[in-house]
Amino acid sequence: MAGAKRRLSPQDWAEAALAALIEGGVAAVAVEPLATWLNTTKGSFYWHYADRGALLDAALALWEAQETEAVIAGLAGIEDPADRLHLLFELVLTLPDEDSVARLVRSADDVRVAAALERVTRRRLDYVIEQLSACGLPAHEAQVRASVAYATYVGWWWQLRQIVPDAAPSGTAALPHVALLHQLLGPVTQ
């Protein structure tokens, strides 16, 4: 971000911290390198945040908002819960780039990251359970199917894409895998 210095907002710092966190883990969320990248001073950071922990919290809150709440909000306009689930599974399994969950899991030994991962995972599971329940499934069956769907998603990104990338294609090449996931989860999501 070269050029003239500009007045930065807390959002600017949070976005930069999130990018650093996803790219390089918790250690990459360091004030001096971020200030250099943002073409500003450490003083700008301290104007907005008390410490690095507060910045990390802001970055994780931004991640939650962008990667979970915004996705859920984007599905709200779809009337049929089965259609919402179908689109959700297609969205998350056909992403062209590595999913941020897979990258953040690498930093799960950090208390803040672990807490954010737990909140996001619970929120996502609850959302899928809500949709399956709205399709008429009993609560227990909805929980089981949601767990299988989420485990598939995490395994897709965290294991297959990392270790055997050609076994987990991206983009439209992943659509047959999405179709099979719908079959495995049962007729309620087809």
Side-chain angles (χ1 to χ4, degrees):
M1 195 185 249
K5 291 185 180 179
R6 65 181 176 89
R7 188 177 216 60
L8 296 176
S9 68
Q11 179 78 13
D12 293 323
W13 278 96
E15 288 173 0
L18 178 58
L21 175 64
I22 289 172
E23 194 59 37
V26 174
V29 182
V31 177
E32 273 191 54
L34 288 173
T36 300
W37 188 74
L38 290 167
N39 192 31
T40 192
T41 65
K42 290 191 317 184
S44 169
F45 166 78
Y46 289 109
W47 181 258
H48 299 296
Y49 294 100
D51 57 29
R52 180 179 171 271
L55 177 60
L56 186 55
D57 287 340
L60 290 165
L62 179 62
W63 172 69
E64 290 180 57
Q66 290 177 343
E67 301 290 327
T68 298
E69 297 308 325
V71 172
I72 290 171
L75 296 169
I78 300 171
E79 191 171 319
D80 181 26
D83 290 343
R84 282 192 295 268
L85 285 173
H86 184 81
L87 181 57
L88 175 64
F89 297 155
E90 187 174 314
L91 284 171
V92 300
L93 292 182
T94 61
L95 290 169
D97 298 318
E98 184 180 22
D99 182 68
S100 60
V101 168
R103 290 182 176 212
L104 288 178
V105 164
R106 294 181 205 136
S107 297
D109 57 339
D110 178 87
V111 174
R112 285 180 165 92
V113 174
L117 284 167
E118 182 177 348
R119 281 191 308 274
V120 164
T121 300
R122 288 189 188 282
R123 173 68 170 115
R124 291 174 177 185
L125 282 170
D126 287 347
Y127 179 77
V128 174
I129 290 167
E130 288 169 20
Q131 303 318 301
L132 290 167
S133 295
C135 289
L137 289 178
H140 178 72
E141 189 173 344
Q143 289 174 336
V144 169
R145 289 188 189 199
S147 296
V148 168
Y150 200 76
T152 299
Y153 159 71
V154 171
W156 186 263
W157 285 105
W158 191 27
Q159 290 286 4
L160 287 179
R161 278 273 181 100
Q162 299 291 315
I163 300 166
V164 189
D166 62 324
S170 62
T172 57
L175 289 175
H177 298 80
V178 174
L180 182 57
L181 176 60
H182 289 294
Q183 289 175 353
L184 292 172
L185 291 176
V188 75
T189 64
Q190 295 179 1

